[in-house]
Amino acid sequence: MSMLTPPGMGGKYRITGDVYPRMRRPHRRRRIVLASAAAVVVLGATGWGTLQLVDVFTGGDEGTRSAAAGKQGADCKPAPKPTAAPAAALPRPAQITVNVYNATPRSGLAKSTADELKKRGFKIGKVGNAPAAYDKKVPGTGVLLGANTATKGIFPVLATQLAGATTKVDTRATADVDLIIGTAFKNLSPKATADAALAALAKPKPAPTRC
């Protein structure tokens, strides 16, 4: 028996000679399978992370956004229209009595302005120079002066005739109003412009859309 033969082995397993037997290399299939599986996991994680970054920078899935926008559009409905038009309380020019006063150094403005307002349907009260409190002290186009109740209807209607006029209230108990002509006054608003402004006052504002 050779010294290379372990005790108890013989027959076809007997090793003779003085040369070591050639040993086969270990099977590498398990190593290849494990390496392949690891590569798949890494690639999957990388792809998922890339998709997440794309969603972050593009705002998410386009289909989802479109569906959400469509649902929002379907849910958006205009608010109910007001039952009563605000313009219903506005007085007609024929119901407004206007006192016209001239606070400028130019003569004749009160009369010519009063005549034009009369042509446009307004009632004319007093015509003359402005009282001392306003004489040559109105730098703008004019001042509309009246009772506090005039702010609810009379002032808006009369203001359509004179662009840039300011309003002021006093303690009078009557319904008439004063138009005090200022130094910047040139003419009343063109009739077509004033009529368009009156028509706009008569139309209620469209109800806002609520979503």
Side-chain angles (χ1 to χ4, degrees):
M1 177 182 295
S2 171
M3 294 179 65
L4 297 177
T5 303
M9 294 186 65
K12 63 178 179 179
Y13 298 105
R14 183 177 182 180
I15 301 174
T16 59
D18 57 358
V19 180
Y20 287 98
R22 178 176 294 180
M23 306 297 292
R24 291 189 302 170
R25 295 181 180 179
H27 206 289
R28 301 180 61 185
R29 180 174 296 177
R30 178 181 295 179
R31 186 177 300 175
I32 294 173
V33 171
L34 291 177
S36 299
V40 170
V41 172
V42 171
L43 289 175
T46 303
W48 183 83
T50 303
L51 288 177
Q52 294 299 313
L53 289 176
V54 170
D55 284 346
V56 169
F57 288 105
T58 60
D61 182 69
E62 186 67 27
T64 303
R65 294 198 303 272
S66 300
K71 184 178 184 302
Q72 183 180 13
D75 293 339
C76 291
K77 296 180 180 179
K81 294 182 179 179
T83 55
L90 294 176
R92 298 188 304 272
Q95 298 174 306
I96 300 174
T97 299
V98 185
N99 305 313
V100 184
Y101 298 112
N102 183 8
T104 76
R106 294 173 287 168
S107 61
L109 285 182
K111 185 179 184 305
S112 61
T113 302
D115 290 344
E116 181 61 27
L117 286 174
K118 186 176 181 179
K119 291 179 182 178
R120 299 183 183 188
F122 291 88
K123 288 183 178 181
I124 303 301
K126 298 177 182 179
V127 178
N129 293 326
Y134 293 96
D135 190 26
K136 300 179 182 64
K137 297 176 182 178
V138 180
T141 59
V143 173
L144 306 182
L145 181 64
N148 187 59
T149 54
T151 61
K152 298 179 180 179
I154 295 177
F155 282 171
V157 172
L158 185 55
T160 61
Q161 311 300 311
L162 180 59
T166 58
T167 60
K168 188 175 180 180
V169 298
D170 58 15
T171 58
R172 74 181 70 189
T174 57
D176 62 324
V177 293
D178 301 341
L179 191 163
I180 305 175
I181 299 172
T183 55
F185 176 86
K186 294 183 179 179
N187 293 293
L188 292 174
S189 299
K191 188 175 184 306
T193 302
D195 289 345
L198 278 173
L201 283 177
K203 294 180 181 179
K205 296 181 179 180
T209 300
R210 298 175 182 176
C211 298

